Coordinates of all heavy atoms in Angstrom, one line a residue:
M1 N -104.3 150.2 75.5 CA -105.6 150.6 75.4 C -105.8 151.9 74.6 O -105.1 152.9 74.9 CB -106.2 150.8 76.9 CG -107.5 151.4 76.9 SD -108.1 151.8 78.7 CE -109.4 150.6 78.7
P2 N -106.6 151.9 73.6 CA -106.8 153.2 72.9 C -107.4 154.2 73.7 O -108.2 154.1 74.6 CB -107.7 152.7 71.7 CG -108.3 151.5 72.1 CD -107.5 150.9 73.2
I3 N -106.9 155.5 73.3 CA -107.4 156.7 74.0 C -108.6 157.2 73.3 O -108.6 157.3 72.1 CB -106.2 157.7 74.1 CG1 -105.1 157.2 74.9 CG2 -106.8 159.0 74.7 CD1 -103.8 158.1 74.8
T4 N -109.7 157.4 74.0 CA -110.9 158.0 73.5 C -111.3 159.2 74.2 O -110.8 159.4 75.3 CB -112.0 156.9 73.5 OG1 -112.3 156.6 74.9 CG2 -111.6 155.6 72.8
I5 N -112.2 159.9 73.7 CA -112.8 161.0 74.4 C -113.4 160.5 75.7 O -113.2 161.2 76.8 CB -113.9 161.8 73.6 CG1 -113.4 162.3 72.3 CG2 -114.6 162.8 74.4 CD1 -112.3 163.4 72.4
E6 N -114.0 159.4 75.7 CA -114.7 158.8 76.9 C -113.6 158.5 77.9 O -113.8 158.7 79.1 CB -115.5 157.6 76.5 CG -116.8 158.0 75.7 CD -116.5 158.2 74.2 OE1 -115.4 157.8 73.7 OE2 -117.3 158.8 73.6
S7 N -112.5 157.8 77.5 CA -111.5 157.4 78.4 C -110.7 158.6 79.0 O -110.4 158.6 80.2 CB -110.5 156.4 77.8 OG -109.6 157.1 76.8
L8 N -110.6 159.7 78.2 CA -110.0 160.9 78.8 C -110.9 161.5 79.9 O -110.4 162.1 80.9 CB -109.8 161.9 77.7 CG -108.7 161.6 76.7 CD1 -108.6 162.6 75.5 CD2 -107.3 161.5 77.4
A9 N -112.2 161.4 79.8 CA -113.1 161.9 80.7 C -113.0 161.2 82.1 O -113.3 161.8 83.1 CB -114.6 161.9 80.2
Q10 N -112.4 160.0 82.1 CA -112.2 159.2 83.3 C -110.9 159.5 84.0 O -110.7 159.1 85.1 CB -112.3 157.8 83.0 CG -113.6 157.3 82.3 CD -114.8 157.7 83.1 OE1 -114.9 157.4 84.4 NE2 -115.8 158.2 82.5
I11 N -110.0 160.3 83.4 CA -108.7 160.6 84.0 C -108.9 161.7 84.9 O -109.5 162.8 84.6 CB -107.7 161.0 82.9 CG1 -107.4 159.7 82.0 CG2 -106.4 161.5 83.5 CD1 -106.5 160.0 80.9
N12 N -108.4 161.6 86.2 CA -108.5 162.6 87.2 C -107.2 163.1 87.7 O -107.2 163.8 88.8 CB -109.4 162.0 88.3 CG -110.8 161.7 87.9 OD1 -111.4 162.6 87.2 ND2 -111.3 160.5 88.2
D13 N -106.1 162.7 87.1 CA -104.8 163.3 87.6 C -103.9 163.5 86.5 O -104.0 162.9 85.4 CB -104.2 162.3 88.6 CG -103.8 161.0 88.0 OD1 -102.6 160.9 87.5 OD2 -104.6 160.1 88.0
M14 N -103.0 164.4 86.7 CA -102.1 164.9 85.6 C -101.1 163.9 85.1 O -100.7 163.8 84.0 CB -101.4 166.2 86.0 CG -102.2 167.4 86.1 SD -103.1 167.8 84.5 CE -101.7 168.0 83.3
T15 N -100.7 163.0 86.1 CA -99.7 161.9 85.6 C -100.3 161.1 84.6 O -99.7 160.8 83.5 CB -99.3 161.1 86.9 OG1 -98.7 161.9 87.8 CG2 -98.4 160.0 86.5
H16 N -101.6 160.6 84.7 CA -102.2 159.8 83.8 C -102.6 160.6 82.5 O -102.4 160.1 81.4 CB -103.5 159.1 84.3 CG -103.1 158.0 85.3 ND1 -103.2 158.2 86.7 CD2 -102.8 156.8 85.1 CE1 -102.9 157.1 87.2 NE2 -102.6 156.2 86.3
L17 N -102.9 161.8 82.6 CA -103.2 162.6 81.5 C -102.0 162.9 80.7 O -102.0 162.8 79.4 CB -103.8 164.0 81.9 CG -104.2 164.9 80.7 CD1 -105.3 164.3 79.9 CD2 -104.8 166.2 81.3
R18 N -100.9 163.1 81.3 CA -99.6 163.3 80.6 C -99.2 162.1 79.8 O -98.7 162.1 78.7 CB -98.5 163.8 81.5 CG -98.7 165.2 81.9 CD -97.7 165.7 82.9 NE -97.9 167.1 83.2 CZ -97.8 167.7 84.4 NH1 -97.3 166.9 85.4 NH2 -98.0 169.0 84.6
K19 N -99.4 160.9 80.4 CA -99.1 159.7 79.8 C -100.0 159.5 78.6 O -99.5 159.0 77.5 CB -99.4 158.5 80.8 CG -99.0 157.2 80.3 CD -99.2 156.1 81.3 CE -98.6 154.7 80.8 NZ -98.7 153.7 81.7
A20 N -101.2 159.9 78.6 CA -102.1 159.8 77.5 C -101.7 160.7 76.4 O -101.6 160.3 75.2 CB -103.6 160.1 77.9
V21 N -101.3 161.9 76.7 CA -100.7 162.9 75.7 C -99.4 162.4 75.1 O -99.3 162.4 73.9 CB -100.4 164.3 76.4 CG1 -99.6 165.2 75.5 CG2 -101.8 164.9 76.8
D22 N -98.6 161.8 75.9 CA -97.3 161.1 75.3 C -97.6 160.0 74.4 O -97.0 159.9 73.3 CB -96.4 160.6 76.4 CG -95.8 161.8 77.3 OD1 -95.9 162.9 76.8 OD2 -95.3 161.4 78.4
Q23 N -98.7 159.2 74.7 CA -99.1 158.2 73.8 C -99.6 158.7 72.5 O -99.3 158.2 71.4 CB -100.2 157.2 74.5 CG -100.6 156.1 73.6 CD -101.7 155.2 74.2 OE1 -101.7 155.2 75.5 NE2 -102.5 154.6 73.5
L24 N -100.5 159.7 72.6 CA -101.0 160.3 71.4 C -99.9 161.0 70.5 O -99.9 160.9 69.3 CB -102.1 161.4 71.8 CG -103.3 160.8 72.3 CD1 -104.2 162.0 72.9 CD2 -104.1 160.1 71.3
D25 N -98.9 161.6 71.2 CA -97.8 162.2 70.4 C -97.1 161.1 69.6 O -96.7 161.2 68.5 CB -96.8 162.9 71.3 CG -97.4 164.2 71.8 OD1 -98.3 164.7 71.3 OD2 -96.8 164.8 72.8
S26 N -96.9 159.9 70.3 CA -96.2 158.8 69.6 C -97.0 158.3 68.4 O -96.5 158.0 67.4 CB -96.0 157.7 70.6 OG -95.4 156.5 70.0
E27 N -98.3 158.3 68.6 CA -99.2 157.8 67.5 C -99.2 158.9 66.4 O -99.2 158.4 65.2 CB -100.6 157.6 68.0 CG -100.7 156.4 69.0 CD -102.1 156.3 69.6 OE1 -103.1 156.8 69.1 OE2 -102.2 155.6 70.6
L28 N -99.1 160.1 66.7 CA -99.0 161.2 65.6 C -97.7 161.1 64.9 O -97.8 161.2 63.7 CB -99.2 162.6 66.3 CG -100.6 162.9 66.7 CD1 -100.6 164.2 67.6 CD2 -101.5 163.1 65.5
I29 N -96.6 160.8 65.6 CA -95.4 160.7 64.9 C -95.4 159.5 63.9 O -94.9 159.5 62.8 CB -94.2 160.5 65.9 CG1 -94.0 161.9 66.6 CG2 -92.9 160.0 65.2 CD1 -93.5 163.0 65.8
G30 N -96.0 158.4 64.4 CA -96.2 157.2 63.5 C -97.0 157.6 62.2 O -96.6 157.2 61.1
L31 N -98.0 158.3 62.4 CA -98.9 158.8 61.3 C -98.1 159.7 60.4 O -98.2 159.6 59.1 CB -100.2 159.4 61.7 CG -101.2 158.4 62.4 CD1 -102.3 159.2 63.0 CD2 -101.7 157.4 61.4
L32 N -97.3 160.6 61.0 CA -96.6 161.5 60.2 C -95.4 160.8 59.4 O -95.1 161.1 58.2 CB -95.9 162.7 61.0 CG -97.0 163.7 61.5 CD1 -96.3 164.6 62.6 CD2 -97.5 164.5 60.3
R33 N -94.9 159.7 60.0 CA -94.0 158.9 59.3 C -94.6 158.3 58.0 O -94.0 158.3 56.9 CB -93.5 157.8 60.2 CG -92.5 156.9 59.6 CD -92.0 155.8 60.5 NE -91.0 155.0 59.9 CZ -90.9 153.7 60.0 NH1 -91.8 153.1 60.9 NH2 -90.0 153.0 59.4
L34 N -95.8 157.8 58.1 CA -96.5 157.3 57.0 C -96.8 158.4 55.9 O -96.7 158.1 54.8 CB -97.8 156.6 57.4 CG -97.7 155.3 58.2 CD1 -99.1 154.9 58.7 CD2 -97.1 154.2 57.3
R35 N -97.2 159.5 56.4 CA -97.4 160.7 55.5 C -96.2 161.0 54.7 O -96.3 161.2 53.5 CB -97.9 161.9 56.3 CG -98.6 162.9 55.3 CD -99.0 164.1 56.0 NE -100.0 164.9 55.3 CZ -99.7 165.7 54.3 NH1 -98.5 165.8 53.8 NH2 -100.7 166.4 53.7
F36 N -95.0 161.0 55.4 CA -93.8 161.3 54.6 C -93.4 160.2 53.8 O -92.7 160.4 52.7 CB -92.7 161.8 55.6 CG -92.8 163.2 56.0 CD1 -93.6 163.6 57.0 CD2 -92.0 164.1 55.3 CE1 -93.8 164.9 57.3 CE2 -92.2 165.5 55.6 CZ -93.0 165.9 56.6
A37 N -93.7 159.0 54.1 CA -93.6 157.9 53.2 C -94.3 158.0 51.9 O -93.9 157.7 50.8 CB -93.9 156.5 53.8
C38 N -95.5 158.7 52.0 CA -96.3 159.0 50.9 C -95.6 160.0 50.0 O -95.6 159.9 48.8 CB -97.6 159.6 51.2 SG -98.8 158.4 51.9
M39 N -94.9 160.9 50.6 CA -94.1 161.9 49.8 C -92.9 161.2 49.1 O -92.5 161.5 48.0 CB -93.5 163.0 50.8 CG -94.6 163.8 51.5 SD -95.8 164.6 50.4 CE -97.1 163.5 50.6
D40 N -92.3 160.2 49.8 CA -91.3 159.4 49.1 C -91.8 158.8 47.9 O -91.2 158.8 46.8 CB -90.7 158.3 50.0 CG -89.9 158.8 51.2 OD1 -89.4 159.9 51.2 OD2 -89.8 158.1 52.2
A41 N -93.0 158.2 48.0 CA -93.7 157.5 46.9 C -94.0 158.5 45.8 O -93.8 158.2 44.6 CB -94.9 156.8 47.3
A42 N -94.5 159.7 46.2 CA -94.8 160.7 45.2 C -93.5 161.2 44.4 O -93.6 161.4 43.2 CB -95.5 161.9 45.9
A43 N -92.5 161.3 45.1 CA -91.3 161.7 44.5 C -90.8 160.7 43.4 O -90.2 161.0 42.4 CB -90.1 162.0 45.5
R44 N -91.1 159.4 43.8 CA -90.7 158.3 42.9 C -91.6 158.3 41.7 O -91.1 158.1 40.5 CB -90.7 157.0 43.7 CG -90.5 155.8 42.8 CD -90.5 154.5 43.7 NE -91.7 154.4 44.6 CZ -92.9 154.0 44.3 NH1 -93.2 153.7 43.0 NH2 -93.9 154.0 45.2
I45 N -92.9 158.5 41.9 CA -93.9 158.4 40.9 C -93.9 159.6 39.9 O -94.0 159.4 38.6 CB -95.3 158.2 41.5 CG1 -95.4 156.9 42.2 CG2 -96.4 158.4 40.4 CD1 -96.5 156.8 43.1
K46 N -93.8 160.8 40.4 CA -93.8 162.0 39.6 C -92.5 162.1 38.7 O -91.5 162.1 39.2 CB -94.0 163.2 40.4 CG -95.3 163.3 41.1 CD -95.4 164.5 42.0 CE -96.7 164.5 42.8 NZ -96.8 165.7 43.7
Q47 N -92.8 162.2 37.4 CA -91.6 162.2 36.5 C -91.1 163.6 36.2 O -90.1 163.8 35.7 CB -92.0 161.5 35.2 CG -92.2 160.0 35.4 CD -91.0 159.3 36.0 OE1 -89.9 159.4 35.5 NE2 -91.2 158.6 37.1
D48 N -92.0 164.6 36.5 CA -91.7 166.0 36.3 C -91.6 166.8 37.6 O -92.6 166.8 38.3 CB -92.7 166.6 35.4 CG -92.4 168.0 35.0 OD1 -91.5 168.7 35.5 OD2 -93.2 168.5 34.0
R49 N -90.4 167.4 37.8 CA -90.2 168.0 39.1 C -91.2 169.2 39.3 O -91.6 169.6 40.4 CB -88.8 168.6 39.1 CG -88.4 169.2 40.5 CD -86.9 169.7 40.5 NE -86.4 169.9 41.8 CZ -86.5 171.0 42.5 NH1 -87.2 172.0 42.0 NH2 -86.0 171.0 43.7
N50 N -91.6 169.8 38.1 CA -92.6 170.9 38.2 C -94.0 170.6 38.7 O -94.7 171.5 39.0 CB -92.6 171.6 36.8 CG -91.4 172.2 36.4 OD1 -90.6 172.8 37.2 ND2 -91.1 172.2 35.1
V51 N -94.3 169.3 38.7 CA -95.6 168.9 39.2 C -95.6 168.6 40.7 O -96.6 168.3 41.3 CB -96.3 167.8 38.4 CG1 -96.4 168.2 36.9 CG2 -95.5 166.5 38.5
V52 N -94.4 168.6 41.3 CA -94.4 168.4 42.8 C -95.2 169.4 43.5 O -96.0 169.0 44.4 CB -92.9 168.4 43.3 CG1 -92.9 168.3 44.8 CG2 -92.1 167.2 42.7
R53 N -95.1 170.7 43.2 CA -95.9 171.7 43.8 C -97.2 171.8 43.0 O -97.2 172.1 41.8 CB -95.3 173.0 43.9 CG -96.2 174.2 44.4 CD -95.4 175.4 44.6 NE -94.5 175.4 45.8 CZ -94.9 175.5 47.0 NH1 -96.2 175.6 47.3 NH2 -94.1 175.4 48.0
D54 N -98.3 171.4 43.6 CA -99.6 171.4 43.0 C -100.6 172.3 43.8 O -101.1 171.8 44.9 CB -100.1 170.0 42.9 CG -101.5 169.9 42.2 OD1 -102.2 170.9 42.1 OD2 -101.8 168.8 41.8
E55 N -100.7 173.5 43.5 CA -101.5 174.5 44.3 C -102.9 174.1 44.4 O -103.6 174.3 45.5 CB -101.3 175.9 43.8 CG -100.0 176.5 44.0 CD -99.5 176.6 45.4 OE1 -100.3 176.8 46.3 OE2 -98.3 176.5 45.6
A56 N -103.5 173.5 43.4 CA -104.9 173.1 43.5 C -105.1 171.9 44.5 O -106.0 171.9 45.3 CB -105.4 172.6 42.1
R57 N -104.1 171.0 44.5 CA -104.2 169.9 45.4 C -103.9 170.4 46.9 O -104.6 170.0 47.8 CB -103.1 168.8 45.1 CG -102.9 167.8 46.2 CD -104.1 166.9 46.3 NE -103.8 165.9 47.3 CZ -104.7 165.3 48.1 NH1 -106.0 165.7 48.0 NH2 -104.4 164.4 49.0
K58 N -103.0 171.4 47.0 CA -102.8 172.0 48.3 C -104.0 172.6 48.8 O -104.5 172.4 50.0 CB -101.7 173.0 48.2 CG -101.4 173.7 49.5 CD -100.3 174.8 49.5 CE -100.2 175.6 50.7 NZ -99.2 176.7 50.5
A59 N -104.7 173.4 48.0 CA -106.0 174.0 48.4 C -107.0 173.0 48.8 O -107.7 173.2 49.8 CB -106.5 175.0 47.3
A60 N -107.1 171.9 48.1 CA -108.1 170.9 48.4 C -107.8 170.2 49.8 O -108.7 170.0 50.5 CB -108.1 169.9 47.3
V61 N -106.5 170.0 50.0 CA -106.1 169.3 51.3 C -106.4 170.3 52.4 O -107.0 169.9 53.4 CB -104.5 169.0 51.2 CG1 -104.0 168.6 52.7 CG2 -104.2 167.9 50.3
L62 N -106.1 171.5 52.2 CA -106.4 172.5 53.3 C -107.9 172.7 53.6 O -108.3 172.7 54.8 CB -105.7 173.8 53.0 CG -104.2 173.9 53.0 CD1 -103.7 175.2 52.6 CD2 -103.6 173.5 54.4
Q63 N -108.6 172.7 52.5 CA -110.1 172.8 52.7 C -110.7 171.5 53.4 O -111.5 171.6 54.3 CB -110.8 173.0 51.3 CG -112.3 173.3 51.5 CD -112.6 174.5 52.4 OE1 -112.1 175.6 52.1 NE2 -113.4 174.3 53.4
N64 N -110.2 170.4 53.0 CA -110.6 169.1 53.7 C -110.3 169.1 55.1 O -111.1 168.7 56.0 CB -109.9 167.9 53.0 CG -110.4 166.6 53.5 OD1 -111.6 166.4 53.6 ND2 -109.5 165.7 53.8
V65 N -109.1 169.6 55.5 CA -108.7 169.7 56.9 C -109.6 170.6 57.7 O -110.0 170.4 58.8 CB -107.2 170.1 57.1 CG1 -106.9 170.6 58.5 CG2 -106.3 168.9 56.7
K66 N -109.9 171.8 57.0 CA -110.8 172.7 57.7 C -112.2 172.1 57.9 O -112.8 172.3 59.0 CB -111.0 174.0 56.9 CG -109.8 174.9 56.8 CD -109.9 176.0 55.8 CE -108.7 176.8 55.6 NZ -108.9 177.9 54.6
N67 N -112.7 171.3 57.0 CA -114.0 170.7 57.1 C -113.9 169.6 58.2 O -114.8 169.5 59.1 CB -114.4 170.0 55.8 CG -114.7 171.0 54.7 OD1 -114.9 172.2 54.9 ND2 -114.7 170.5 53.5
L68 N -112.8 168.8 58.2 CA -112.6 167.8 59.3 C -112.6 168.4 60.7 O -113.1 167.9 61.6 CB -111.4 167.0 59.0 CG -111.5 166.1 57.7 CD1 -110.2 165.4 57.4 CD2 -112.6 165.0 58.0
A69 N -111.8 169.5 60.8 CA -111.6 170.2 62.0 C -113.0 170.7 62.6 O -113.3 170.6 63.7 CB -110.6 171.3 61.9
K70 N -113.7 171.3 61.6 CA -115.0 171.9 62.0 C -116.0 170.7 62.5 O -116.6 170.9 63.6 CB -115.7 172.6 60.9 CG -117.0 173.2 61.2 CD -117.6 174.0 60.0 CE -118.9 174.6 60.4 NZ -119.5 175.3 59.3
E71 N -116.0 169.6 61.8 CA -116.7 168.4 62.2 C -116.3 167.9 63.6 O -117.1 167.4 64.4 CB -116.7 167.3 61.2 CG -117.4 167.6 59.9 CD -117.1 166.6 58.8 OE1 -116.6 165.5 59.1 OE2 -117.3 166.9 57.6
A72 N -115.0 167.9 63.8 CA -114.4 167.4 65.0 C -114.6 168.4 66.2 O -114.4 168.0 67.4 CB -112.9 167.1 64.9
G73 N -115.0 169.6 65.9 CA -115.1 170.6 66.9 C -113.9 171.1 67.5 O -113.8 171.5 68.7
I74 N -112.8 171.2 66.7 CA -111.5 171.7 67.1 C -111.2 172.9 66.3 O -111.8 173.2 65.2 CB -110.4 170.6 67.0 CG1 -110.3 170.1 65.6 CG2 -110.6 169.5 68.0 CD1 -109.1 169.1 65.4
P75 N -110.3 173.8 66.8 CA -110.2 175.1 66.2 C -109.7 175.1 64.8 O -108.6 174.6 64.4 CB -109.1 175.8 67.1 CG -109.1 175.0 68.3 CD -109.5 173.6 68.0
V76 N -110.6 175.5 63.8 CA -110.3 175.5 62.4 C -109.1 176.3 62.0 O -108.2 175.8 61.3 CB -111.6 175.9 61.6 CG1 -111.3 176.0 60.1 CG2 -112.7 174.9 61.8
P77 N -108.9 177.6 62.5 CA -107.8 178.3 62.1 C -106.5 177.7 62.5 O -105.5 177.8 61.8 CB -108.0 179.7 62.7 CG -109.5 179.8 63.0 CD -109.9 178.4 63.3
T78 N -106.5 177.1 63.7 CA -105.2 176.5 64.2 C -104.9 175.3 63.4 O -103.7 175.1 63.0 CB -105.4 176.1 65.7 OG1 -105.8 177.2 66.4 CG2 -104.2 175.4 66.2
M79 N -105.9 174.4 63.1 CA -105.6 173.3 62.2 C -105.2 173.7 60.8 O -104.3 173.1 60.3 CB -106.9 172.3 62.2 CG -107.2 171.7 63.5 SD -105.9 170.7 64.2 CE -105.3 171.8 65.4
A80 N -105.8 174.7 60.3 CA -105.4 175.2 59.0 C -103.9 175.7 59.0 O -103.2 175.4 58.1 CB -106.3 176.3 58.5
A81 N -103.5 176.4 60.0 CA -102.1 176.8 60.2 C -101.1 175.6 60.3 O -100.1 175.7 59.6 CB -102.0 177.8 61.3
I82 N -101.5 174.6 61.1 CA -100.7 173.5 61.3 C -100.5 172.8 59.9 O -99.4 172.4 59.5 CB -101.2 172.6 62.3 CG1 -101.1 173.2 63.7 CG2 -100.6 171.2 62.3 CD1 -101.8 172.5 64.8
W83 N -101.7 172.6 59.2 CA -101.6 171.9 57.9 C -100.9 172.7 56.8 O -100.2 172.1 56.0 CB -103.0 171.4 57.5 CG -103.1 170.0 57.6 CD1 -102.9 169.0 56.7 CD2 -103.4 169.2 58.9 NE1 -103.1 167.7 57.2 CE2 -103.3 167.9 58.6 CE3 -103.6 169.6 60.2 CZ2 -103.5 166.9 59.5 CZ3 -103.8 168.7 61.1 CH2 -103.7 167.3 60.8
E84 N -101.0 174.0 56.9 CA -100.2 174.8 55.9 C -98.8 174.5 56.1 O -98.0 174.3 55.1 CB -100.5 176.3 56.2 CG -99.7 177.2 55.4 CD -100.0 177.3 53.9 OE1 -101.1 177.1 53.6 OE2 -99.1 177.7 53.1
M85 N -98.3 174.5 57.3 CA -96.9 174.2 57.6 C -96.6 172.7 57.2 O -95.5 172.5 56.6 CB -96.5 174.4 59.1 CG -95.1 174.1 59.4 SD -94.6 174.2 61.2 CE -95.3 175.8 61.6
L86 N -97.4 171.8 57.5 CA -97.2 170.4 57.1 C -97.1 170.2 55.6 O -96.2 169.6 55.1 CB -98.3 169.5 57.7 CG -98.3 168.1 57.3 CD1 -97.0 167.4 57.8 CD2 -99.5 167.3 57.9
V87 N -98.0 170.8 54.9 CA -98.0 170.7 53.4 C -96.8 171.4 52.8 O -96.2 170.8 51.9 CB -99.3 171.3 52.8 CG1 -99.3 171.4 51.3 CG2 -100.6 170.5 53.2
E88 N -96.4 172.6 53.3 CA -95.2 173.2 52.8 C -94.0 172.4 53.1 O -93.1 172.2 52.2 CB -95.1 174.6 53.3 CG -96.0 175.6 52.6 CD -95.8 175.7 51.1 OE1 -94.7 175.7 50.6 OE2 -96.8 175.8 50.4
T89 N -93.9 171.8 54.3 CA -92.8 171.0 54.6 C -92.8 169.7 53.8 O -91.7 169.2 53.4 CB -92.9 170.6 56.2 OG1 -92.8 171.8 56.9 CG2 -91.7 169.7 56.6
S90 N -93.9 169.2 53.5 CA -94.1 167.9 52.7 C -93.6 168.2 51.3 O -92.9 167.4 50.7 CB -95.5 167.4 52.7 OG -95.9 167.0 54.0
I91 N -94.0 169.4 50.7 CA -93.5 169.8 49.4 C -92.0 169.9 49.4 O -91.4 169.4 48.4 CB -94.2 171.1 48.9 CG1 -95.7 170.8 48.8 CG2 -93.6 171.6 47.7 CD1 -96.6 172.1 48.6
S92 N -91.5 170.6 50.3 CA -90.0 170.7 50.4 C -89.3 169.4 50.5 O -88.3 169.1 49.8 CB -89.6 171.6 51.6 OG -88.2 171.7 51.7
Y93 N -89.8 168.5 51.3 CA -89.3 167.2 51.5 C -89.3 166.4 50.2 O -88.4 165.7 49.7 CB -90.0 166.5 52.6 CG -89.6 165.0 52.8 CD1 -88.5 164.8 53.7 CD2 -90.3 164.0 52.2 CE1 -88.2 163.4 53.9 CE2 -89.9 162.7 52.4 CZ -88.9 162.4 53.3 OH -88.5 161.1 53.5
E94 N -90.5 166.5 49.5 CA -90.7 165.8 48.3 C -89.7 166.3 47.2 O -89.2 165.5 46.4 CB -92.1 165.9 47.8 CG -92.4 165.0 46.6 CD -93.8 165.2 46.1 OE1 -94.8 165.5 46.9 OE2 -94.0 164.9 44.9
L95 N -89.5 167.6 47.1 CA -88.6 168.1 46.2 C -87.2 167.6 46.4 O -86.4 167.2 45.5 CB -88.6 169.6 46.2 CG -89.8 170.3 45.6 CD1 -89.9 171.8 45.9 CD2 -89.7 170.1 44.1
Q96 N -86.7 167.5 47.7 CA -85.4 167.0 48.0 C -85.3 165.6 47.6 O -84.3 165.1 47.0 CB -85.2 167.1 49.5 CG -84.9 168.6 50.0 CD -84.8 168.7 51.5 OE1 -85.0 167.7 52.2 NE2 -84.6 169.9 52.0
K97 N -86.4 164.8 47.9 CA -86.3 163.3 47.5 C -86.4 163.2 46.0 O -85.7 162.3 45.5 CB -87.6 162.6 48.2 CG -87.5 162.4 49.6 CD -86.4 161.5 49.9 CE -86.2 161.2 51.4 NZ -85.2 160.2 51.7
W98 N -87.1 164.0 45.3 CA -87.2 164.0 43.8 C -85.8 164.2 43.3 O -85.3 163.4 42.4 CB -88.1 165.0 43.3 CG -88.6 164.8 41.9 CD1 -89.7 164.2 41.5 CD2 -87.8 165.1 40.7 NE1 -89.7 164.1 40.1 CE2 -88.6 164.8 39.6 CE3 -86.6 165.9 40.5 CZ2 -88.2 165.0 38.3 CZ3 -86.2 166.1 39.1 CH2 -87.0 165.6 38.1
D99 N -85.1 165.2 43.8 CA -83.7 165.5 43.3 C -82.7 164.3 43.6 O -81.9 164.0 42.8 CB -83.2 166.7 44.0 CG -83.9 168.0 43.4 OD1 -84.6 167.9 42.3 OD2 -83.9 169.0 44.1
Q100 N -82.9 163.8 44.8 CA -82.0 162.6 45.3 C -82.2 161.4 44.4 O -81.2 160.8 44.0 CB -82.3 162.2 46.7 CG -81.8 163.2 47.7 CD -82.2 162.8 49.1 OE1 -82.9 161.9 49.4 NE2 -81.8 163.6 50.1
L101 N -83.4 161.1 44.0 CA -83.7 160.0 43.2 C -83.1 160.2 41.7 O -82.9 159.2 41.0 CB -85.2 159.8 43.1 CG -85.8 159.2 44.3 CD1 -87.3 159.2 44.2 CD2 -85.3 157.8 44.6
R102 N -82.9 161.4 41.3 CA -82.5 161.6 39.9 C -81.1 162.1 39.8 O -80.8 162.7 38.7 CB -83.6 162.5 39.2 CG -84.8 161.7 39.0 CD -86.0 162.6 38.9 NE -87.2 161.8 38.8 CZ -88.0 161.3 39.7 NH1 -87.6 161.5 41.0 NH2 -89.0 160.6 39.5
K103 N -80.3 162.0 40.8 CA -78.9 162.5 40.7 C -78.1 161.6 39.7 O -78.3 160.4 39.6 CB -78.2 162.4 42.1 CG -78.6 163.6 42.9 CD -77.7 163.5 44.2 CE -78.1 164.8 45.0 NZ -77.4 164.8 46.2

């Protein structure tokens, strides 16, 4: 059963709430796996290592996340900090993959 804001409002004990959090964590890991697969593809597609770091794209991603966080009613500074780390980690990962593909 998918977890929704409405279904969470029906939970009245910590055991069920923790189960929901664990399910969401699992779903987040699955989504992050897909995001890192995108980095694998980017490393394969980009022919120049110098274009792996794209500060304009990074700024656009971070602004988009801030907008989405605001619309969702969740803490914008926190989401921006998480995504800053995610983007920097993604860039580092992509650089490693780029190098591995061209050894």
